Amino acid sequence: MRIFNTLTRSVEELEPLTPGHVRLYTCGPRVYDFAHIGNFRTYVWEDLLRRTLKLVGFRVTQVMNITDIEDKIIAKAMAAGTSIQEVTGPFILASFEDPVVLGIEGAEGYPLSFPALGPVLHSM
């Protein structure tokens, strides 16, 4: 399989670090609000890449980060007089429901930024 390498700006043969096994670390939701069409575009692209890699014979392990701490989340928590976990909790749950509706495969892991919530959520 050949892919475009943005670092070298050229098309190259895909050579995973472990032969036959591609590991993806992909962008996930920022959980200060519900996802929108721009977020879904990213998730659909990541799903298309994952499925294509599997189709051509690679084993794929995907980790999708959940951005659960950032300025918008902190501001929202402060304005509401609540905790970051109370702000992000409902949106983290929603972030697992939306891809199911869109038919997007789940990742193998979902690391959180905020350690108090736990190091990694696994596929639900």
Side-chain angles (χ1 to χ4, degrees):
M1 178 176 188
R2 295 174 53 82
I3 60 169
F4 184 76
N5 181 335
T6 57
L7 181 62
T8 64
R9 311 235 10 109
S10 63
V11 177
E12 300 175 6
E13 192 69 29
L14 176 61
E15 295 181 31
L17 295 175
T18 303
H21 185 191
V22 175
R23 292 176 177 87
L24 302 173
Y25 189 87
T26 60
C27 294
R30 290 184 173 143
V31 289
Y32 60 85
D33 206 344
F34 293 107
H36 54 75
I37 192 71
N39 302 124
F40 296 139
R41 178 184 177 275
T42 300
Y43 309 152
V44 168
W45 162 244
E46 293 165 354
D47 186 62
L48 178 63
L49 175 61
R50 175 188 174 95
R51 289 172 190 259
T52 301
L53 290 166
K54 289 167 67 175
L55 181 68
V56 299
F58 289 105
R59 183 166 73 95
V60 177
T61 301
Q62 179 185 8
V63 174
M64 179 184 282
N65 72 306
I66 296 177
T67 303
D68 59 329
I69 185 81
E70 67 167 14
D71 291 346
K72 289 181 182 179
I73 294 169
I74 294 167
K76 202 169 189 178
M78 290 175 67
T82 188
S83 71
I84 288 170
Q85 294 92 332
E86 289 177 284
V87 169
T88 60
F91 303 118
I92 290 173
L93 293 176
S95 74
F96 284 99
E97 295 167 357
D98 295 330
V100 172
V101 172
L102 294 171
I104 294 172
E105 290 184 357
E108 283 69 37
Y110 298 88
L112 298 168
S113 306
F114 196 62
L117 295 177
V120 176
L121 297 172
H122 292 281
S123 294
M124 296 183 155

